[in-house]
Amino acid sequence: MDLVKAFLVGGAICVIGQILIDKTKLMSGRILVMFVCIGCILGGLGWYAPIEEFGGAGATVPLTGFGYNLAKGVMEEVDSVGFWGIFTGGMKAAAGGITAAVVFAFLTALVCNPKEK
Amino acid sequence: MKNKRIGAQTVKLSEPVVIAGVSSVVGPKEGEGPLGNLFDTVAKEALYGEDSWEKAESKFVTEALQLAVEKAGKTMEDIDYILCGDLLNQCTGTTFGIKDFKVPYFGLFGACSTMGESMSLGAMLLDGGFAENVLVGASSHFCAAEKQFRFPLALGTQRPPSATWTVTGDGSAVLSKKGKGPVITEITTGKIIDMGVTDTMNMGAAMAPAAVNVLTAHFKDTGRQPNYYDVIATGDLGYIGKQLVIELMAKEGYEMGENFTDCGIEIFDKQNQDTHSGGSGCACSAVTFASYFYKKLSEGEIGRMLFIPTGALMSPTTSQQGSTIPGIAHGVVIESRKE
Amino acid sequence: MEETTQAKQIYDKMVKEASPDSPIVLNCIKAFVSGGFICTIGQLLRNYIETFSLGEDTTSLIVCVILILASAILTGLGLYGKLGKYCGAGTIVPITGFANSVVSPAIEFKKEGFVFGMAAKMFLIAGPVIVYGTLTSIIVGLIYYFVG
């Protein structure tokens, strides 16, 4: 059942992105930025947690989940270390994803060359 | 001095300039298209044996220019000037392709209209008595253009239906005072027209008004009608740009008939090659002319042709700053001269 | 061609009429299915990794790392770009799309060197995501600290 929920929630979030692309001609980079910021804001407002509760990976895999993670991280860090947690919480929560992206991008680029379409 | 100007934007050469030889060297995708068997050389892969897209483009330039000279029955020593250009920053595609030829060179930038620009200026140099043989041409490379103007190739993005596909290759021609072959008789030079289009995924719409500028100026200067020509071919307007030209010309009181086509439409198979609105890039008009149209002109199947390569004079920087896309077009009248 | 404001407005209308719209319904279906599929894989991974009882955060991290690795491999093979053409937002919005946007410029600009090419251009598209994500998290943190 949680697989179906993940499929539906994840699919729905992607559809929102598709509508934005087709209707507003936004480039994919802008979509990424938008989704992370929206996820972060919803996370801050406490509205994304129920979505994650319901959708599981359907809510955490899309970039809104990345944004939600930033918000969650910063709030937890504020709770544990206070004001200066504002500066570390977000990045701490995102560190794993960014590090993975950098490492795998580097390794892939070492091995692979650009290909024609 | 005999005045060669016959109107605000049109000149008539005192002696027709002969297109003595042409060449078209293209990438694999172009080779698979409807004109595939008409090109002189089809590269097996877009890298063309080089290690970067930019170097590959230069190799297309080198190969095509050499071949054009050869096919015209001449050697590089016979060439007085090279007039070429491409889409890459500072026209390096051309520079690195021709630097070893050691021929006097004028580098041109007319974006995708470069073939028209080089033919116009080459013909004028010859008619002015400054040269016996001039080598003209234009090149572009899909992968190099995507890298410079759009996105990395491996990025998963969708192309809207209005997008065009940059042609990989180089089309060149040797223009001569003497010899056999189709001739250039008149030149109509376009003005920059900017109708406020900002969508870089809809270049046809950005350039169509520039093509209309050349068409109306040409018909006004010569007193002709569109049906005077067997073929009127714009450069890379694609399906959308062509439709817009027909509509805009109707407003100006000219009916564009069956003889009106676009190189970007001819070069790819829209259904099977997923090229959306059609082909584009400097090479689009250059290789289509140097293969398909040149053959028809040589065989007399086309008697008179108005060739109008079109270009969008923007850069990634101007687009990011929100500037509109100015268009340019260069009209060249070519006649068969086959009895 | 006159370049008056009025003429430009008329032309803008002509361009809109002549330019076909993207097939939005079809695109949305593709995005839904492909995006949903990626998330389902994420959920499968999560369910499996949860059996090791590593804690919620670590589980999420491992899922994230595996998806990024998969995306990097597909991007390197030139397959993610092809998928993206059909799937649209379905392959842009998931974390795999973020990874694709980091890996693809790294590969493309490798020829310009490992420092100013590959490394410098790596965040050409994804850099703004980190910039604005960080800024938004700071705002969220500030509000949370002062307002609660």
Side-chain angles (χ1 to χ4, degrees), chain B residues 87-89 109 144-151 314-316:
Chain B
L87 281 179
L88 298 183
N89 285 335
F109 182 79
E146 288 289 305
K147 181 176 169 182
Q148 180 175 318
F149 291 95
R150 297 195 176 105
F151 304 109
M314 40 69 77
S315 79

Side-chain angles (χ1 to χ4, degrees), chain A residues 40 67 70-71 74 86 89-91, chain C residues 132-142:
Chain A
C40 192
L70 291 172
V74 82
I86 294 170
M91 276 304 219
Chain C
Y132 287 103
T134 306
L135 290 175
T136 315
S137 80
I138 296 284
I139 292 166
V140 168
L142 281 171

Side-chain angles (χ1 to χ4, degrees), chain B residues 90-114:
Chain B
Q90 289 76 39
C91 281
T92 46
T94 306
T95 307
F96 287 89
I98 66 161
K99 69 187 173 71
D100 294 332
F101 290 158
K102 306 300 175 204
V103 174
Y105 163 63
F106 287 115
L108 305 180
F109 182 79
C112 311
S113 74
T114 302

Side-chain angles (χ1 to χ4, degrees), chain A residues 2 6 9 19 31 41 49 53-54 69 73 85 91 97 108 111-112 115:
Chain A
D2 52 357
V9 172
I19 293 169
I31 301 283
I41 293 165
E53 195 88 1
F54 178 81
N69 240 343
M91 276 304 219
T108 313
V111 180
C112 301
K115 288 170 187 64

